[in-house]
Amino acid sequence: WHVYDGEVRLVDDAMGKLFAKLESLGIWDETLVIFTSDHGEAFSEHMLPGHQNVIYDEVLHIPLIIRYPGMANVGRTREPVELLDLYRTIAELAQVPVPPGVRGESLVPILEKRAGERQQDYLFHSRYYMDTLGLHYLAVRDRDYKLIARVPFEADTSKRLVQQVPKWSLDKPGTTLELYKYSEDPRERWNLIFEGADPEVARRLQQELLEWRD
């Protein structure tokens, strides 16, 4: 913990120096600043350290701070978003066109309080070939629930795993599911699949995960 706290302080100090430099150059008010991370860090909240084989929110829930010229609203939002949304967000703020097929959506309507929610109802996460047991880790969430699926993969040992298109199915033997409800269990402690609760929610989120795959 103490080492990680030191790293956080180091980044905080570095960002402070960067912002001060932008201000001294007279371009602070002309600069778009986005601060984020590629992943969080697990400290054995689910008996797992680090971030490689973790798909719980201690790794998925990361910082995202956005500031841009003319920004009128300052505050926080609890709306779940994806890093994929940053592409369209930056493009809209910079007033540049977005190529066809770009995923995600612009967060500008939320930042400007013209909208309270994203247009897309679901967010998806994937960690392929990350487990020595031969599993892909997948997750889908809406604003109330999160479904985690660990699904087996068949590796072609003649190729590097990163060169293979990930193929998976939820009905393959060895697949395991976990379902969590944020309002009652923000730390993802009570697996509702194990407890037999909310089966319709679990089926709906499984279907959304399959449609996302397809």
Side-chain angles (χ1 to χ4, degrees):
W1 277 102
H2 296 299
V3 174
Y4 193 77
D5 286 345
E7 293 177 347
V8 172
R9 177 59 185 268
L10 178 66
V11 172
D12 187 70
D13 289 345
M15 294 302 294
K17 293 177 181 177
L18 174 62
F19 295 162
K21 185 64 174 179
L22 292 172
E23 194 162 9
S24 70
L25 293 173
I27 58 175
W28 172 247
D29 292 329
E30 304 172 11
T31 303
L32 164 64
V33 175
I34 298 179
F35 178 87
T36 189
S37 173
D38 54 343
H39 57 75
E41 199 73 10
F43 291 93
S44 297
E45 291 89 344
H46 291 86
M47 305 301 292
L48 296 166
H51 55 263
Q52 291 301 317
N53 295 331
V54 185
I55 201 164
Y56 298 105
D57 272 12
E58 51 262 32
V59 166
L60 297 183
H61 190 187
I62 59 174
L64 176 58
I65 301 172
I66 301 176
R67 180 195 181 276
Y68 55 89
M71 189 173 188
N73 298 299
V74 178
R76 302 181 67 176
T77 176
R78 297 186 63 86
E79 178 67 2
V81 301
E82 298 178 295
L83 287 179
L84 284 171
D85 296 331
L86 292 181
Y87 191 111
R88 287 187 176 272
T89 301
I90 294 170
E92 181 170 347
L93 291 171
Q95 299 181 352
V96 297
V98 176
V102 172
R103 294 160 59 193
E105 65 180 81
S106 172
L107 302 179
V108 173
I110 295 176
L111 295 171
E112 296 183 350
K113 300 190 183 304
R114 291 186 277 111
E117 298 180 346
R118 296 171 79 245
Q119 296 178 12
Q120 301 178 37
D121 294 324
Y122 298 95
L123 289 84
F124 301 91
H125 311 276
S126 58
R127 300 184 69 81
Y128 297 121
Y129 305 114
M130 294 299 293
D131 197 301
T132 56
L133 299 177
L135 299 173
H136 300 309
Y137 286 17
L138 309 162
V140 55
R141 70 176 73 202
D142 58 18
R143 291 174 177 81
D144 298 312
Y145 290 90
K146 174 180 171 185
L147 178 76
I148 294 175
R150 293 180 175 85
V151 299
F153 66 83
E154 295 181 3
D156 181 352
T157 56
S158 66
K159 300 179 181 178
R160 295 179 59 200
L161 295 183
V162 295
Q163 295 175 334
Q164 299 183 50
V165 176
K167 296 180 179 180
W168 53 269
S169 172
L170 294 180
D171 56 7
K172 192 171 183 179
T175 296
T176 60
L177 300 173
E178 299 175 29
L179 179 67
Y180 300 99
K181 188 174 183 179
Y182 291 118
S183 60
E184 300 174 1
D185 183 24
R187 294 180 180 269
E188 300 169 302
R189 301 292 189 185
W190 308 324
N191 181 5
L192 300 179
I193 296 288
F194 182 76
E195 297 176 4
D198 298 316
E200 290 300 322
V201 172
R203 281 192 284 269
R204 172 173 59 83
L205 292 178
Q206 288 180 68
Q207 184 60 36
E208 291 295 334
L209 196 58
L210 291 172
E211 291 181 8
W212 172 76
R213 174 200 64 184
D214 296 339

